[in-house]
Amino acid sequence: MSDFGPLTVNFKTITDVRGDLTYLEGEKDIPFSIKRVYYIYNVPENSARGGHAHINLRQVMFAIVGSFTISLDAGEGPTEFILNNPEQGLLIESGVWRELGTFTPGTIAMVVASDYYSESDYVRSYTEFLKKYGSR
Ligand code: T46
């Protein structure tokens, strides 16, 4: 089942002569209450991140600046997405393996998450991931 759920989250932007202002609100634009925000930047060329799934965590990820790729795998192989629009996020449900790469120089990837950081929520072995989620 390659079902990632509804994937795209569009944020609202207010534009005037001073520039653009984009905002997102928990439980409105984002389909959960936001408990944590983190951002990834200064990523060296050819570096990969991710390589895990979450048991319960839900996240929306977007590129504030720049561009990167993310491949999502719900247990039947990867589908690749490019994130390069600060007005559009990708909803990543729990139980989905993700791998990030191809960061252009200066990229800032931003993530809003449904829960606090907890290492026990991670599945960091692909074999374990397939055992747990491969037969849905
Ligand atoms: C995800 C992808 C897209 C913390 O202490 N607090 C935090 O909030 C986070 C996110 C991480 N950490 C620690 C855990 C590790 O010791 O920071 C270290 C690096 O984390 P990690 O190797 O998991 O980083 P990425 O970029 O591979 O994965 C991160 C998120 O962890 C993950 O939830 O979906 O970004």
Side-chain angles (χ1 to χ4, degrees):
M1 183 188 76
S2 294
D3 184 6
F4 306 119
L7 279 170
T8 304
V9 182
N10 293 306
F11 309 143
K12 296 181 195 76
T13 298
I14 314 292
T15 300
D16 61 30
V17 290
R18 299 167 299 168
D20 297 330
L21 183 157
T22 298
Y23 67 97
L24 43 120
E25 297 180 316
E27 295 177 277
K28 289 184 178 176
D29 311 291
I30 305 291
F32 50 78
S33 161
I34 299 166
K35 278 203 176 163
R36 178 167 52 108
V37 175
Y38 62 92
Y39 31 99
I40 296 169
Y41 55 104
N42 287 339
V43 179
E45 216 179 325
N46 301 321
S47 260
R49 301 196 65 110
H52 55 253
H54 282 282
I55 297 166
N56 292 308
L57 192 73
R58 306 173 74 198
Q59 303 190 105
V60 171
M61 179 172 305
F62 51 100
I64 283 269
V65 179
S67 151
F68 61 98
T69 57
I70 177 162
S71 91
L72 298 183
D73 178 354
E76 288 189 342
T79 303
E80 189 164 282
F81 302 86
I82 298 175
L83 294 189
N84 59 6
N85 182 351
E87 294 178 287
Q88 199 166 74
L90 190 68
L91 174 62
I92 307 172
E93 294 290 0
S94 57
V96 174
W97 188 266
R98 79 286 318 266
E99 292 182 6
L100 285 65
T102 329
F103 286 80
T104 57
T107 292
I108 304 174
M110 186 127 203
V111 185
V112 295
S114 64
D115 213 339
Y116 303 121
Y117 169 71
S118 166
E119 190 56 38
S120 63
D121 191 68
Y122 286 73
V123 179
R124 291 193 185 267
S125 145
Y126 191 69
T127 310
E128 206 184 302
F129 165 75
L130 284 182
K131 259 193 233 157
K132 204 169 166 60
Y133 298 108
S135 57
R136 284 179 292 183

